[in-house]
mmCIF file of all heavy atoms in Angstrom:
data_model
loop_
_atom_site.group_PDB
_atom_site.id
_atom_site.type_symbol
_atom_site.label_atom_id
_atom_site.label_comp_id
_atom_site.label_asym_id
_atom_site.label_seq_id
_atom_site.Cartn_x
_atom_site.Cartn_y
_atom_site.Cartn_z
ATOM 1 N N VAL A 28 -0.400 38.895 -23.700
ATOM 2 C CA VAL A 28 -0.725 40.275 -23.248
ATOM 3 C C VAL A 28 -2.134 40.201 -22.707
ATOM 4 O O VAL A 28 -2.464 40.835 -21.676
ATOM 5 C CB VAL A 28 -0.628 41.283 -24.426
ATOM 6 C CG1 VAL A 28 -1.209 42.594 -23.991
ATOM 7 C CG2 VAL A 28 0.802 41.432 -24.875
ATOM 8 N N LEU A 39 -2.103 42.554 -8.319
ATOM 9 C CA LEU A 39 -1.587 43.697 -7.684
ATOM 10 C C LEU A 39 -2.361 43.906 -6.349
ATOM 11 O O LEU A 39 -1.737 44.130 -5.312
ATOM 12 C CB LEU A 39 -1.728 44.909 -8.570
ATOM 13 C CG LEU A 39 -1.273 46.249 -7.894
ATOM 14 C CD1 LEU A 39 0.138 46.211 -7.469
ATOM 15 C CD2 LEU A 39 -1.510 47.358 -8.881
ATOM 16 N N GLN A 41 -3.966 41.818 -4.406
ATOM 17 C CA GLN A 41 -3.747 40.772 -3.383
ATOM 18 C C GLN A 41 -2.266 40.432 -3.233
ATOM 19 O O GLN A 41 -2.002 39.629 -2.385
ATOM 20 C CB GLN A 41 -4.607 39.567 -3.687
ATOM 21 C CG GLN A 41 -6.075 39.875 -3.703
ATOM 22 C CD GLN A 41 -6.855 38.704 -4.083
ATOM 23 O OE1 GLN A 41 -6.396 37.603 -4.241
ATOM 24 N NE2 GLN A 41 -8.169 38.872 -4.308
ATOM 25 N N TRP A 46 -3.056 32.145 -11.834
ATOM 26 C CA TRP A 46 -3.064 31.336 -13.006
ATOM 27 C C TRP A 46 -4.036 31.922 -13.990
ATOM 28 O O TRP A 46 -5.125 32.345 -13.692
ATOM 29 C CB TRP A 46 -3.562 29.917 -12.651
ATOM 30 C CG TRP A 46 -2.598 29.192 -11.836
ATOM 31 C CD1 TRP A 46 -2.572 29.040 -10.423
ATOM 32 C CD2 TRP A 46 -1.412 28.452 -12.247
ATOM 33 N NE1 TRP A 46 -1.511 28.230 -10.011
ATOM 34 C CE2 TRP A 46 -0.808 27.872 -11.106
ATOM 35 C CE3 TRP A 46 -0.906 28.221 -13.537
ATOM 36 C CZ2 TRP A 46 0.350 27.062 -11.263
ATOM 37 C CZ3 TRP A 46 0.251 27.438 -13.609
ATOM 38 C CH2 TRP A 46 0.907 26.906 -12.531
ATOM 39 N N PRO A 48 -6.481 31.513 -17.493
ATOM 40 C CA PRO A 48 -7.295 30.403 -18.093
ATOM 41 C C PRO A 48 -6.392 29.717 -19.120
ATOM 42 O O PRO A 48 -5.470 30.342 -19.721
ATOM 43 C CB PRO A 48 -8.442 31.131 -18.736
ATOM 44 C CG PRO A 48 -8.463 32.519 -18.065
ATOM 45 C CD PRO A 48 -7.101 32.811 -17.664
ATOM 46 N N PRO A 49 -6.709 28.486 -19.472
ATOM 47 C CA PRO A 49 -6.019 27.771 -20.572
ATOM 48 C C PRO A 49 -6.115 28.606 -21.898
ATOM 49 O O PRO A 49 -7.167 29.295 -22.150
ATOM 50 C CB PRO A 49 -6.709 26.452 -20.724
ATOM 51 C CG PRO A 49 -7.383 26.296 -19.359
ATOM 52 C CD PRO A 49 -7.744 27.605 -18.830
ATOM 53 N N PHE A 50 -5.072 28.470 -22.631
ATOM 54 C CA PHE A 50 -5.045 29.139 -24.012
ATOM 55 C C PHE A 50 -4.356 28.271 -25.026
ATOM 56 O O PHE A 50 -3.567 27.405 -24.621
ATOM 57 C CB PHE A 50 -4.396 30.539 -23.888
ATOM 58 C CG PHE A 50 -2.963 30.566 -23.379
ATOM 59 C CD1 PHE A 50 -1.921 30.253 -24.225
ATOM 60 C CD2 PHE A 50 -2.790 30.734 -22.040
ATOM 61 C CE1 PHE A 50 -0.613 30.196 -23.733
ATOM 62 C CE2 PHE A 50 -1.448 30.750 -21.519
ATOM 63 C CZ PHE A 50 -0.378 30.437 -22.406
ATOM 64 N N LYS A 54 2.309 25.128 -29.555
ATOM 65 C CA LYS A 54 2.798 23.889 -29.069
ATOM 66 C C LYS A 54 1.622 23.065 -28.444
ATOM 67 O O LYS A 54 1.905 22.056 -27.809
ATOM 68 C CB LYS A 54 3.902 24.134 -28.103
ATOM 69 C CG LYS A 54 5.187 24.664 -28.725
ATOM 70 C CD LYS A 54 6.271 24.833 -27.748
ATOM 71 C CE LYS A 54 7.513 25.410 -28.383
ATOM 72 N NZ LYS A 54 8.647 25.476 -27.437
ATOM 73 N N GLY A 57 -2.022 25.508 -23.192
ATOM 74 C CA GLY A 57 -1.105 25.915 -22.055
ATOM 75 C C GLY A 57 -1.860 26.860 -21.099
ATOM 76 O O GLY A 57 -2.986 27.162 -21.264
ATOM 77 N N LEU A 58 -1.154 27.184 -20.047
ATOM 78 C CA LEU A 58 -1.602 28.196 -19.197
ATOM 79 C C LEU A 58 -0.408 28.933 -18.640
ATOM 80 O O LEU A 58 0.792 28.611 -18.871
ATOM 81 C CB LEU A 58 -2.455 27.625 -18.055
ATOM 82 C CG LEU A 58 -2.020 26.404 -17.282
ATOM 83 C CD1 LEU A 58 -0.955 26.629 -16.319
ATOM 84 C CD2 LEU A 58 -3.239 25.783 -16.676
ATOM 85 N N LEU A 60 1.440 31.281 -15.260
ATOM 86 C CA LEU A 60 1.431 31.746 -13.870
ATOM 87 C C LEU A 60 2.123 33.056 -13.870
ATOM 88 O O LEU A 60 3.226 33.280 -14.324
ATOM 89 C CB LEU A 60 2.205 30.710 -13.029
ATOM 90 C CG LEU A 60 2.339 31.114 -11.568
ATOM 91 C CD1 LEU A 60 0.936 31.103 -10.885
ATOM 92 C CD2 LEU A 60 3.206 30.116 -10.794
ATOM 93 N N ALA A 62 2.969 36.684 -11.560
ATOM 94 C CA ALA A 62 3.122 37.216 -10.135
ATOM 95 C C ALA A 62 3.657 38.592 -10.272
ATOM 96 O O ALA A 62 4.520 38.963 -11.022
ATOM 97 C CB ALA A 62 4.069 36.290 -9.358
ATOM 98 N N PRO A 63 3.154 39.497 -9.327
ATOM 99 C CA PRO A 63 3.688 40.826 -9.289
ATOM 100 C C PRO A 63 5.049 40.858 -8.591
ATOM 101 O O PRO A 63 5.379 40.004 -7.731
ATOM 102 C CB PRO A 63 2.723 41.546 -8.332
ATOM 103 C CG PRO A 63 2.069 40.537 -7.497
ATOM 104 C CD PRO A 63 2.143 39.275 -8.300
ATOM 105 N N VAL A 64 5.920 41.763 -9.012
ATOM 106 C CA VAL A 64 7.234 41.988 -8.352
ATOM 107 C C VAL A 64 7.044 43.297 -7.606
ATOM 108 O O VAL A 64 6.753 44.306 -8.207
ATOM 109 C CB VAL A 64 8.333 42.104 -9.464
ATOM 110 C CG1 VAL A 64 9.730 42.419 -8.771
ATOM 111 C CG2 VAL A 64 8.439 40.849 -10.249
ATOM 112 N N GLY A 67 8.542 46.952 -1.664
ATOM 113 C CA GLY A 67 7.730 47.526 -0.624
ATOM 114 C C GLY A 67 6.246 47.523 -1.112
ATOM 115 O O GLY A 67 5.781 46.533 -1.600
ATOM 116 N N PRO A 68 5.599 48.714 -0.980
ATOM 117 C CA PRO A 68 4.212 48.718 -1.422
ATOM 118 C C PRO A 68 4.081 49.017 -2.927
ATOM 119 O O PRO A 68 2.960 48.973 -3.426
ATOM 120 C CB PRO A 68 3.680 49.891 -0.643
ATOM 121 C CG PRO A 68 4.802 50.855 -0.452
ATOM 122 C CD PRO A 68 6.042 49.917 -0.333
ATOM 123 N N GLN A 70 4.499 48.244 -6.959
ATOM 124 C CA GLN A 70 4.658 47.137 -7.915
ATOM 125 C C GLN A 70 5.676 47.746 -8.932
ATOM 126 O O GLN A 70 5.475 48.712 -9.486
ATOM 127 C CB GLN A 70 3.364 46.832 -8.631
ATOM 128 C CG GLN A 70 3.600 45.725 -9.627
ATOM 129 C CD GLN A 70 2.369 45.352 -10.490
ATOM 130 O OE1 GLN A 70 1.442 46.090 -10.470
ATOM 131 N NE2 GLN A 70 2.439 44.235 -11.137
ATOM 132 N N VAL A 71 6.756 46.951 -9.154
ATOM 133 C CA VAL A 71 7.781 47.303 -10.079
ATOM 134 C C VAL A 71 7.857 46.485 -11.348
ATOM 135 O O VAL A 71 8.599 46.760 -12.314
ATOM 136 C CB VAL A 71 9.104 47.342 -9.437
ATOM 137 C CG1 VAL A 71 9.177 48.515 -8.297
ATOM 138 C CG2 VAL A 71 9.567 46.034 -8.852
ATOM 139 N N GLY A 72 6.970 45.458 -11.421
ATOM 140 C CA GLY A 72 6.996 44.649 -12.618
ATOM 141 C C GLY A 72 6.088 43.402 -12.396
ATOM 142 O O GLY A 72 5.414 43.171 -11.369
ATOM 143 N N MET A 73 6.134 42.578 -13.439
ATOM 144 C CA MET A 73 5.435 41.327 -13.343
ATOM 145 C C MET A 73 6.316 40.249 -13.908
ATOM 146 O O MET A 73 7.168 40.499 -14.804
ATOM 147 C CB MET A 73 4.174 41.319 -14.224
ATOM 148 C CG MET A 73 3.041 42.220 -13.791
ATOM 149 S SD MET A 73 2.111 41.604 -12.373
ATOM 150 C CE MET A 73 1.081 40.363 -13.123
ATOM 151 N N VAL A 74 6.290 39.020 -13.320
ATOM 152 C CA VAL A 74 7.054 37.868 -13.847
ATOM 153 C C VAL A 74 6.040 36.840 -14.170
ATOM 154 O O VAL A 74 5.009 36.714 -13.522
ATOM 155 C CB VAL A 74 8.180 37.354 -12.883
ATOM 156 C CG1 VAL A 74 9.232 38.401 -12.749
ATOM 157 C CG2 VAL A 74 7.599 36.969 -11.592
ATOM 158 N N MET A 78 3.155 27.229 -19.166
ATOM 159 C CA MET A 78 3.355 25.757 -18.985
ATOM 160 C C MET A 78 2.338 25.105 -19.829
ATOM 161 O O MET A 78 1.177 25.405 -19.873
ATOM 162 C CB MET A 78 3.102 25.409 -17.501
ATOM 163 C CG MET A 78 3.251 23.949 -17.239
ATOM 164 S SD MET A 78 2.871 23.528 -15.503
ATOM 165 C CE MET A 78 4.075 24.500 -14.656
ATOM 166 N N ASP A 84 -0.182 18.008 -16.388
ATOM 167 C CA ASP A 84 -0.814 16.665 -16.160
ATOM 168 C C ASP A 84 0.204 15.656 -15.739
ATOM 169 O O ASP A 84 -0.072 14.841 -14.781
ATOM 170 C CB ASP A 84 -1.492 16.222 -17.446
ATOM 171 C CG ASP A 84 -2.221 14.795 -17.339
ATOM 172 O OD1 ASP A 84 -3.104 14.815 -16.416
ATOM 173 O OD2 ASP A 84 -1.782 13.950 -18.004
ATOM 174 N N VAL A 86 3.075 16.083 -14.136
ATOM 175 C CA VAL A 86 3.485 16.507 -12.793
ATOM 176 C C VAL A 86 2.389 16.002 -11.771
ATOM 177 O O VAL A 86 2.732 15.404 -10.760
ATOM 178 C CB VAL A 86 3.829 17.902 -12.589
ATOM 179 C CG1 VAL A 86 4.055 18.339 -11.131
ATOM 180 C CG2 VAL A 86 5.071 18.312 -13.399
ATOM 181 N N LEU A 87 1.190 16.334 -12.050
ATOM 182 C CA LEU A 87 0.040 16.010 -11.103
ATOM 183 C C LEU A 87 -0.057 14.450 -10.999
ATOM 184 O O LEU A 87 -0.367 13.943 -9.911
ATOM 185 C CB LEU A 87 -1.162 16.665 -11.601
ATOM 186 C CG LEU A 87 -1.278 18.139 -11.477
ATOM 187 C CD1 LEU A 87 -2.586 18.663 -12.059
ATOM 188 C CD2 LEU A 87 -1.081 18.597 -10.042
ATOM 189 N N GLN A 89 2.281 12.239 -11.330
ATOM 190 C CA GLN A 89 3.432 11.715 -10.579
ATOM 191 C C GLN A 89 3.322 11.968 -9.053
ATOM 192 O O GLN A 89 3.855 11.219 -8.250
ATOM 193 C CB GLN A 89 4.726 12.343 -11.061
ATOM 194 C CG GLN A 89 5.147 11.886 -12.359
ATOM 195 C CD GLN A 89 6.401 12.556 -12.917
ATOM 196 O OE1 GLN A 89 7.023 13.378 -12.210
ATOM 197 N NE2 GLN A 89 6.754 12.348 -14.173
#
Side-chain angles (χ1 to χ4, degrees):
V28 173
L39 177 58
Q41 298 178 7
W46 289 98
F50 56 85
K54 294 183 179 182
L58 43 80
L60 178 63
V64 176
Q70 182 185 15
V71 295
M73 294 284 284
V74 296
M78 180 183 300
D84 180 61
V86 170
L87 292 175
Q89 290 176 5

